[in-house]
Amino acid sequence: MTQTAVTLGYIGLGNMGAPMATRLLDWPGGLTVCDTRPEALEPFTAAGATAAATPAAVAERASVISVTVLDDAQVRDVVTGADGILSTAAPGTVVAVHSTISDTTAVELATLCAGAGIHLIDAPISGGAPGAQQGRLAVMIGGPEEAFQTVREPFARFAELVVHAGGVGAGTRMKLARNLLHFISFTAATEAQRLAEAAGIDIRALGKVVRHTDAITGGAGAIMLRDTTAPVAESDGWFSILGHVRNLGEKDLSLALDLGDRLDVDLPLAAIALERLGAGLGVGPGTIADTTTKERA
């Protein structure tokens, strides 16, 4: 399908939706926007977009509709409400839900939409407001290949990475796994800050070091290169690589725990990490983990 044949709609022009929709303003097929706040629409209509009063009115004009609203209830209303997308959308329309909702909600709504010949895909985003402003988001799409191919080109306007995660619901499941890592990492960061503060370290300077080196190494994502979490055979080339990571990690974690003991700072995440790092990497615990865990028991 050509760019001019695809007409775009965007519902929800908040902190994420507005910068994403802005990058669609020059789409050759045109852009229709909808938001409950008139002031949110004004910059878009001034730039040439068409304003619609309801999601149903968007669906009358658009063949690909992005939805970025607050939660499951709002998504349901936008899709199935009295003035919702389903009331007017033509068969073949693709509805992309960028909001992070339950994967079961995505599957349920996709089933309802399929009865009308409409593709609803879950397409959550990662990268936050800075990524939206810079057009550098990642979009994780759950839906059929046909729908994925339809949205790849327009979504590339606001995303550097557009991934087909699998069937409907898979995009949300990928986003939840990604954010699990994100917020556990934040919790670990608070633990590291407490240790650094107790040791008399400037935690703002520590933050600079973390951001600098994560940009080089890739952070936690640097180990996410295998296609399975199964144990690694010693004959596998990954064994020596991940074994090296384990050995370094166990050494540094044990040293951090020792420092925490001396400074009377409780480091529960560090203790869990030391105990589970090797097994999580698929290479089993090293000698440091075995020794330190027994000593701390």
Side-chain angles (χ1 to χ4, degrees), residues 37 49 133 150 170 246 277 282:
R37 301 160 300 147
Q133 295 285 349
T150 299
R246 176 203 62 198
L277 177 63

PDB file of all heavy atoms in Angstrom, residues 37 49 133 150 170 246 277 282:
ATOM      1  N   ARG A  37      -9.326  17.769  24.701  1.00  0.00           N
ATOM      2  CA  ARG A  37      -8.959  19.153  25.015  1.00  0.00           C
ATOM      3  C   ARG A  37      -8.757  19.954  23.725  1.00  0.00           C
ATOM      4  O   ARG A  37      -7.829  19.660  22.961  1.00  0.00           O
ATOM      5  CB  ARG A  37      -7.671  19.184  25.831  1.00  0.00           C
ATOM      6  CG  ARG A  37      -7.729  18.413  27.154  1.00  0.00           C
ATOM      7  CD  ARG A  37      -6.337  18.083  27.650  1.00  0.00           C
ATOM      8  NE  ARG A  37      -5.602  17.265  26.698  1.00  0.00           N
ATOM      9  CZ  ARG A  37      -4.293  17.322  26.516  1.00  0.00           C
ATOM     10  NH1 ARG A  37      -3.556  18.176  27.196  1.00  0.00           N
ATOM     11  NH2 ARG A  37      -3.704  16.536  25.634  1.00  0.00           N
ATOM     12  N   ALA A  49      -3.354  19.520   9.987  1.00  0.00           N
ATOM     13  CA  ALA A  49      -4.101  18.297  10.304  1.00  0.00           C
ATOM     14  C   ALA A  49      -5.590  18.605  10.397  1.00  0.00           C
ATOM     15  O   ALA A  49      -6.005  19.755  10.586  1.00  0.00           O
ATOM     16  CB  ALA A  49      -3.604  17.695  11.609  1.00  0.00           C
ATOM     17  N   GLN A 133      10.096  12.956  21.730  1.00  0.00           N
ATOM     18  CA  GLN A 133      10.490  14.265  21.207  1.00  0.00           C
ATOM     19  C   GLN A 133      11.532  14.135  20.098  1.00  0.00           C
ATOM     20  O   GLN A 133      11.515  14.868  19.114  1.00  0.00           O
ATOM     21  CB  GLN A 133      11.051  15.133  22.344  1.00  0.00           C
ATOM     22  CG  GLN A 133      10.055  15.510  23.427  1.00  0.00           C
ATOM     23  CD  GLN A 133       9.078  16.588  22.987  1.00  0.00           C
ATOM     24  OE1 GLN A 133       9.252  17.213  21.950  1.00  0.00           O
ATOM     25  NE2 GLN A 133       8.045  16.803  23.783  1.00  0.00           N
ATOM     26  N   THR A 150       1.780  -2.799   7.320  1.00  0.00           N
ATOM     27  CA  THR A 150       1.041  -1.559   7.055  1.00  0.00           C
ATOM     28  C   THR A 150       1.552  -0.403   7.893  1.00  0.00           C
ATOM     29  O   THR A 150       1.628   0.738   7.421  1.00  0.00           O
ATOM     30  CB  THR A 150      -0.458  -1.768   7.318  1.00  0.00           C
ATOM     31  OG1 THR A 150      -0.957  -2.792   6.447  1.00  0.00           O
ATOM     32  CG2 THR A 150      -1.254  -0.485   7.086  1.00  0.00           C
ATOM     33  N   ALA A 170       1.519  -9.885  22.197  1.00  0.00           N
ATOM     34  CA  ALA A 170       2.971 -10.079  22.334  1.00  0.00           C
ATOM     35  C   ALA A 170       3.701  -8.755  22.515  1.00  0.00           C
ATOM     36  O   ALA A 170       4.716  -8.692  23.217  1.00  0.00           O
ATOM     37  CB  ALA A 170       3.519 -10.829  21.124  1.00  0.00           C
ATOM     38  N   ARG A 246      30.032 -13.676  34.629  1.00  0.00           N
ATOM     39  CA  ARG A 246      29.708 -14.163  35.975  1.00  0.00           C
ATOM     40  C   ARG A 246      30.859 -13.938  36.948  1.00  0.00           C
ATOM     41  O   ARG A 246      30.654 -13.440  38.072  1.00  0.00           O
ATOM     42  CB  ARG A 246      29.386 -15.651  35.912  1.00  0.00           C
ATOM     43  CG  ARG A 246      29.134 -16.295  37.288  1.00  0.00           C
ATOM     44  CD  ARG A 246      29.377 -17.795  37.234  1.00  0.00           C
ATOM     45  NE  ARG A 246      30.759 -18.112  36.880  1.00  0.00           N
ATOM     46  CZ  ARG A 246      31.173 -19.295  36.439  1.00  0.00           C
ATOM     47  NH1 ARG A 246      30.306 -20.283  36.289  1.00  0.00           N
ATOM     48  NH2 ARG A 246      32.457 -19.495  36.151  1.00  0.00           N
ATOM     49  N   LEU A 277      23.208 -14.761  39.908  1.00  0.00           N
ATOM     50  CA  LEU A 277      23.784 -14.281  38.652  1.00  0.00           C
ATOM     51  C   LEU A 277      24.211 -15.425  37.745  1.00  0.00           C
ATOM     52  O   LEU A 277      23.822 -15.489  36.570  1.00  0.00           O
ATOM     53  CB  LEU A 277      24.976 -13.358  38.933  1.00  0.00           C
ATOM     54  CG  LEU A 277      25.723 -12.835  37.695  1.00  0.00           C
ATOM     55  CD1 LEU A 277      24.809 -11.977  36.836  1.00  0.00           C
ATOM     56  CD2 LEU A 277      26.965 -12.047  38.121  1.00  0.00           C
ATOM     57  N   GLY A 282      23.063 -18.806  32.900  1.00  0.00           N
ATOM     58  CA  GLY A 282      23.057 -20.136  32.302  1.00  0.00           C
ATOM     59  C   GLY A 282      24.347 -20.903  32.474  1.00  0.00           C
ATOM     60  O   GLY A 282      24.515 -21.975  31.880  1.00  0.00           O
TER      61      GLY A 282
END
